[in-house]
């Protein structure tokens, strides 16, 4: 290393100007070699899809990568409730970074969305809640908290799961384990295997669950299955941590999509939950979210909250204020809240309609494959079953971009591109044998 630094340094010295003093030269010697060992990071499997799409100038290009909502014109939207909230906060005195009262309001209203307005844990203040940098920030904060207070613990992630979960717990230095979730043959839930894996995990393990609109598969357990999952976790004293990034997108109804979490509450679990408003309020760029951890009583909740705040303080101090104001304004104003509920339904319905249309088109083309799973799966994603080779052909030959695992962000499908998409999928799969 030293030799290599010296070699680089001597190259540098040859080109340096004669006015350098010997002190500045030795500073330069060490400055030159600092990052020689740093290579390019691997591309993010989701964000790199957008990069590839943006680099393509073909007029038929389609981005089915990132799971952010798009309207039927393929454009990101600003919800009307957000516009109204913006008008309401315009000119308000919100530049001060420590808007504790607003942040508490956001947390107070967010927890009602997941645990229920009248839930005992909410009424009794038995939750430690903090504003977080969207779902990623909430997960990361929890992972750090987990490592601080359970340094020997691991996190059990479903197979498959959102690719960033792996990064988040890896960087928090919490070892990852997995549990079976999805069955590629049925393109549905691998339910018995999932229960077995819960049973076989060491007692008091941490399990990450997607309460609705599972990312990337779009496969959710039924209500009955959630009840069994909850009891299986309870029997082993496992800790359920929910990543709630798509509340409302599975069924179009916020309460219905929180059903899994409410089942766990009824069974007496203490759970954790990461919430994001990136997709459901179309605020991806604002990074607004909430992390909550249920506790035995309010005293314990204060202690847990203080620790979360301290971890956040060292990582980013406090989150930005503008998005926070938008979300807390919407959640605490009954009219804006009602408008948001309607708008979530509209977004969920559009996605559902595109699922049906895509399937219809593929069937009309006489595809040899079964496409029922397109409409069986729910939420923003369709785990299409397309292979990496199919995905590569779709991008190269048809300018259609999705993640390598064949995940389709249904939000990118529109009335005007669905036919083209179905034709392209049919073209790349027509010689594939049905399972
Ligand atoms: C996705 O899975 O596409 C979304 O959660 C967006 C993201 O940040 O990865």
């Amino acid at each position: 290393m030293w030799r290599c630094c010296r070699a680089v340094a001597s190259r540098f010295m040859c080109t340096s100007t004669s006015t350098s003093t010997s002190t500045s030269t030795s500073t330069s010697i060490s400055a030159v070699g600092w990052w020689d060992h740093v290579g390019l990071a691997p591309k993010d499997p989701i964000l790199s899809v957008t990069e590839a799409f943006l680099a393509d100038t073909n007029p038929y290009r389609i981005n089915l990568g990132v799971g952010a909502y798009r309207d039927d014109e393929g454009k990101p939207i600003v919800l009307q409730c957000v516009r109204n909230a913006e008008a309401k906060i315009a000119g308000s005195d919100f530049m001060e970074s420590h808007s504790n009262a607003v942040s508490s309001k956001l947390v107070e209203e967010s927890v009602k969305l997941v645990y229920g307005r009248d839930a005992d844990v909410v009424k009794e203040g038995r939750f430690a809640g903090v504003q977080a940098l969207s779902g990623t920030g909430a997960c990361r904060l929890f992972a750090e908290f987990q490592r601080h207070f359970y340094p020997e613990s691991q996190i059990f992630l479903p197979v498959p799961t959102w690719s960033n979960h792996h990064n988040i717990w890896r960087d928090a230095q919490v070892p990852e384990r997995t549990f079976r979730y999805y069955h590629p043959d049925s393109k549905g839930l691998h339910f018995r295997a999932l229960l077995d894996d819960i049973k076989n995990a060491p007692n008091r393990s941490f399990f990450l669950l997607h309460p609705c609109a599972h990312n990337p598969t779009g496969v959710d357990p039924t209500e009955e299955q959630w009840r069994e999952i909850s009891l299986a976790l309870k029997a082993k004293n496992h800790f359920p941590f929910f990543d709630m990034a798509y509340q409302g997108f599975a069924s179009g109804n916020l309460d219905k999509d929180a059903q899994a979490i409410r089942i766990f509450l009824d069974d007496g679990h203490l759970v954790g939950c990461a919430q994001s408003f990136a997709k459901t309020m179309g605020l991806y760029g604002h990074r607004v979210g909430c992390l909550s951890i249920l506790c035995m009583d309010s005293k314990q909740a204060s202690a847990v909250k203080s620790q979360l705040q301290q971890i956040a303080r060292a990582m980013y101090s406090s989150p930005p204020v503008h998005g926070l104001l938008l979300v807390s304004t919407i959640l605490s104003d009954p009219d804006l809240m009602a408008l948001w509920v309607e708008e979530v339904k509209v977004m969920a319905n559009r996605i559902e309609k595109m699922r049906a249309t895509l399937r219809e088109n593929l069937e009309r083309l006489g595809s040899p494959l079964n496409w029922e799973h397109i409409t069986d799966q729910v939420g923003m994603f369709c785990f299409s079953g397309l292979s990496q080779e199919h995905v590569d052909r779709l991008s190269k030959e048809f300018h259609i971009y999705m993640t390598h695992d064949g995940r389709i962000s249904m939000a990118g499908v529109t009335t005007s591109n669905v036919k083209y998409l179905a034709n392209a999928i049919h073209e790349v799969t027509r010689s594939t044998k049905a399972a």
Side-chain angles (χ1 to χ4, degrees), residues 46-47 65-67 162 215 246 279 284 381 407:
I46 295 172
L47 303 181
V66 71
W162 179 44
N215 180 3
Y246 295 94
K279 308 14 168 305
Y284 194 86
F381 303 112
R407 184 190 83 165

Side-chain angles (χ1 to χ4, degrees), residues 326-398:
L326 291 174
V327 177
S328 66
T329 302
I330 294 167
L331 296 183
S332 48
D333 176 317
D335 292 338
L336 291 182
M337 179 72 189
L339 182 55
W340 179 51
V341 166
E342 275 313 304
E343 294 191 287
V344 167
K345 210 179 294 167
V346 170
M347 292 190 281
N349 288 349
R350 192 187 88 70
I351 290 174
E352 205 181 309
K353 189 165 162 218
M354 285 305 114
R355 284 182 181 279
T357 320
L358 178 60
R359 179 177 159 192
E360 260 165 46
N361 273 281
L362 281 161
E363 287 170 354
R364 200 174 305 134
L365 287 163
S367 171
L369 302 176
N370 182 342
W371 295 103
E372 273 170 29
H373 57 284
I374 298 182
T375 48
D376 289 347
Q377 297 169 358
V378 293
M380 181 132 344
F381 303 112
C382 164
F383 211 46
S384 63
L386 293 169
S387 67
Q388 165 125 24
E389 194 195 327
H390 295 143
V391 172
D392 288 344
R393 280 192 62 196
L394 283 171
S395 64
K396 284 197 189 94
E397 296 170 33
F398 298 93

Side-chain angles (χ1 to χ4, degrees), residues 202-248:
N203 289 347
R204 291 173 68 77
S205 293
F206 287 80
F207 271 75
L208 183 137
L209 300 162
H210 302 227
C212 68
H214 182 271
N215 180 3
T217 67
V219 172
D220 285 350
T222 62
E223 181 182 340
E224 208 35 58
Q225 286 169 332
W226 274 123
R227 289 189 191 286
E228 282 194 58
I229 294 169
S230 168
L231 294 179
L233 285 158
K234 194 85 205 295
K236 295 280 300 191
N237 278 317
H238 294 324
F239 186 87
F241 181 71
F242 290 102
D243 185 2
M244 176 65 111
Y246 295 94
Q247 185 172 5

Side-chain angles (χ1 to χ4, degrees), residues 180-366:
R180 286 169 290 174
Y181 185 86
Y182 172 83
H183 202 299
D185 294 345
S186 68
K187 297 194 176 56
L189 193 67
H190 204 348
F191 186 51
R192 287 291 138 204
L194 183 157
L195 289 180
D196 281 348
D197 290 350
I198 291 175
K199 214 184 293 164
N200 294 329
N203 289 347
R204 291 173 68 77
S205 293
F206 287 80
F207 271 75
L208 183 137
L209 300 162
H210 302 227
C212 68
H214 182 271
N215 180 3
T217 67
V219 172
D220 285 350
T222 62
E223 181 182 340
E224 208 35 58
Q225 286 169 332
W226 274 123
R227 289 189 191 286
E228 282 194 58
I229 294 169
S230 168
L231 294 179
L233 285 158
K234 194 85 205 295
K236 295 280 300 191
N237 278 317
H238 294 324
F239 186 87
F241 181 71
F242 290 102
D243 185 2
M244 176 65 111
Y246 295 94
Q247 185 172 5
F249 275 78
S251 67
N253 180 301
L254 294 165
D255 279 316
K256 198 153 179 238
D257 282 5
Q259 184 186 49
I261 298 184
R262 315 254 172 107
I263 289 172
F264 278 64
L265 286 198
D266 289 346
D267 287 343
H269 283 278
L270 293 182
V271 309
C273 183
Q275 284 171 267
S276 158
F277 295 97
K279 308 14 168 305
T280 54
M281 283 197 190
L283 292 174
Y284 194 86
H286 287 268
R287 315 313 292 156
V288 194
C290 175
L291 169 66
S292 56
I293 300 177
L294 301 189
C295 299
M296 296 299 283
D297 54 38
S298 58
K299 190 162 165 246
Q300 199 176 75
S302 303
V304 170
K305 180 174 173 177
S306 70
Q307 296 290 348
L308 292 174
Q309 284 171 324
Q310 197 185 61
I311 296 171
R313 172 80 174 133
M315 288 206 292
Y316 53 85
S317 206
S318 55
V321 176
H322 188 70
L324 153 70
L325 272 173
L326 291 174
V327 177
S328 66
T329 302
I330 294 167
L331 296 183
S332 48
D333 176 317
D335 292 338
L336 291 182
M337 179 72 189
L339 182 55
W340 179 51
V341 166
E342 275 313 304
E343 294 191 287
V344 167
K345 210 179 294 167
V346 170
M347 292 190 281
N349 288 349
R350 192 187 88 70
I351 290 174
E352 205 181 309
K353 189 165 162 218
M354 285 305 114
R355 284 182 181 279
T357 320
L358 178 60
R359 179 177 159 192
E360 260 165 46
N361 273 281
L362 281 161
E363 287 170 354
R364 200 174 305 134
L365 287 163

Side-chain angles (χ1 to χ4, degrees), residues 35-46:
W35 314 117
D36 293 354
H37 59 302
V38 180
L40 272 181
K43 281 191 180 282
D44 183 86
I46 295 172

